[in-house]
Amino acid sequence: AQSVTQLGSHVSVSEGALVLLRCNYSSSVPPYLFWYVQYPNQGLQLLLKYTSAATLVKGINGFEAEFKKSETSFHLTKPSAHMSDAAEYFCAVSASGGYQKVTFGIGTKLQVIP
Amino acid sequence: ETGVTQSPTHLIKTRGQQVTLRCSSQSGHNTVSWYQQALGQGPQFIFQYYREEENGRGNFPPRFSGLQFPNYSSELNVNALELDDSALYLCASSDIRLAGEHEQYFGPGTRLTVT
């Protein structure tokens, strides 16, 4: 079984401030981890993914995430928030092997304050 | 390279009716997954199709069914619609031959409203 927990359904940051979105995962097998972004009335866009290579993963739009097995975490960060980062962010997990079922968290809505 | 497309973008149905949603996978992809995203929730896995057969299913009743065609496009059918079926339905395509990738490419979704 696999699951993810996103801490904080809403996060507000000032423009230029650090963005930190938290995600903890649970998986009985080595996981693949993802962060997706969803803008209003749109589908999901992949920001970055962890597939057991480097533990620090760099993605698009200046985002990065660090896989920490000891903490079962995969938090998403960005050094400086832009207004265009305002969106909903989903952490997701997929188990290695088997079919490609992806389990999503409930999402964190990021608000960027000018 | 053509991305994942879905049709229609919006539709409104009445409780008890049936609906068919369509998805064209990204060029080169052979696997299609369907997700239901209720308002304020994360996407929930419905099922996945590979080689025209169901290749895994989430916790959804049998009135949710699907098809995959030889060109890898797919349909999601929902019978006996209920009010709780109102949601954004997302289709995602991937290449199951890329072992260890599990990366799925999502379409823009179909917004279904059941009244």
Side-chain angles (χ1 to χ4, degrees):
Chain A
Q2 56 198 39
S3 65
V4 291
T5 301
Q6 291 185 244
L7 301 175
S9 58
H10 289 80
V11 171
S12 293
V13 299
S14 298
E15 190 175 16
L18 171 71
V19 176
L20 171 60
L21 304 183
R22 300 178 186 273
C23 172
N24 289 88
Y25 71 90
S26 173
S27 179
S28 56
V29 296
Y32 297 108
L33 294 161
F34 309 87
W35 276 98
Y36 284 87
V37 62
Q38 186 176 37
Y39 296 98
N41 300 314
Q42 293 189 25
L44 300 171
Q45 180 183 12
L46 182 69
L47 279 177
L48 48 81
K49 63 181 179 182
Y50 167 77
T51 56
S52 75
T55 56
L56 182 62
V57 181
K58 294 187 183 298
I60 62 172
N61 302 339
F63 285 94
E64 63 181 37
E66 186 172 7
F67 173 72
K68 292 186 177 180
K69 184 177 179 179
S70 61
E71 299 177 9
T72 61
S73 68
F74 191 59
H75 302 330
L76 181 71
T77 61
K78 182 174 180 178
S80 175
H82 295 163
M83 295 299 296
S84 60
D85 294 329
E88 190 150 24
Y89 293 80
F90 292 93
C91 181
V93 63
S94 179
S96 57
Y99 63 91
Q100 298 170 330
K101 172 185 174 182
V102 179
T103 300
F104 288 84
I106 64 169
T108 297
K109 191 162 289 186
L110 177 65
Q111 180 185 22
V112 182
I113 303 167
Chain B
E1 184 178 271
T2 305
V4 179
T5 60
Q6 294 186 241
S7 63
T9 54
H10 296 84
L11 75 165
I12 300 173
K13 290 286 188 178
T14 302
R15 189 171 51 183
Q17 286 187 315
Q18 178 265 343
V19 69
T20 297
L21 310 181
R22 295 179 174 82
C23 170
S24 292
S25 60
Q26 182 164 310
S27 176
H29 285 178
N30 52 28
T31 304
V32 174
S33 302
W34 285 92
Y35 294 82
Q36 180 195 67
Q37 187 179 15
L39 199 62
Q41 301 294 318
Q44 297 290 315
F45 176 75
I46 302 174
F47 43 55
Q48 181 180 88
Y49 276 81
Y50 171 61
R51 289 185 174 176
E52 303 176 46
E53 292 189 359
E54 191 177 285
N55 185 43
R57 190 179 183 92
N59 189 26
F60 280 81
R63 60 188 185 85
F64 286 78
S65 62
L67 286 172
Q68 186 183 30
F69 301 99
N71 66 354
Y72 304 127
S73 66
S74 176
E75 288 182 353
L76 165 66
N77 299 290
V78 187
N79 294 323
L81 283 167
E82 302 177 358
L83 296 179
D84 285 349
D85 295 333
S86 295
L88 180 69
Y89 288 85
L90 296 165
C91 166
S93 74
S94 57
D95 188 341
I96 206 168
R97 294 166 296 186
L98 296 176
E101 281 293 320
H102 289 220
E103 181 172 341
Q104 299 189 354
Y105 294 81
F106 284 81
T110 294
R111 175 74 63 186
L112 172 65
T113 301
V114 182
T115 62

